[in-house]
Amino acid sequence: ITKQFSFRPPEEAAPSRIIMVSSLAHILAKFDIDNLNSEKWFNDYQVYNCSKLANILTANELSAKLKGTGKY
């Protein structure tokens, strides 16, 4: 079973998809660039919301970088 899920080089994996999971919580995110590690203040809901926003921003950036490569 481990061979079935083993890593394959990118050229063997195309076409492929990258799936990221998020939620509507990103809408409520207030991204504080000066408090990325929650050292100044901590709110569990805001941390969750920001993590969902970060997922979406990462997905958008990755999509832009992989556009036209057959990996999306």
Side-chain angles (χ1 to χ4, degrees):
I1 193 165
T2 56
K3 187 175 183 179
Q4 180 182 6
F5 295 108
S6 64
F7 174 77
R8 292 184 293 160
E11 57 276 359
E12 293 177 18
S16 58
R17 298 218 184 253
I18 298 169
I19 299 171
M20 299 182 86
V21 179
S22 193
S23 73
L24 290 176
H26 75 280
I27 295 170
L28 302 173
K30 294 177 183 163
F31 214 64
D32 184 359
I33 196 75
D34 295 323
N35 193 35
L36 291 178
N37 291 326
S38 301
E39 293 170 345
K40 295 180 181 178
W41 56 268
F42 179 82
N43 178 299
D44 51 349
Y45 292 109
Q46 255 326 300
V47 170
Y48 178 80
N49 298 343
C50 287
S51 74
K52 298 300 119 184
L53 177 59
N55 282 350
I56 290 172
L57 295 173
T58 300
N60 288 342
E61 183 66 20
L62 194 54
S63 176
K65 287 185 176 188
L66 295 176
K67 190 172 187 171
T69 65
K71 302 168 198 66
Y72 38 95

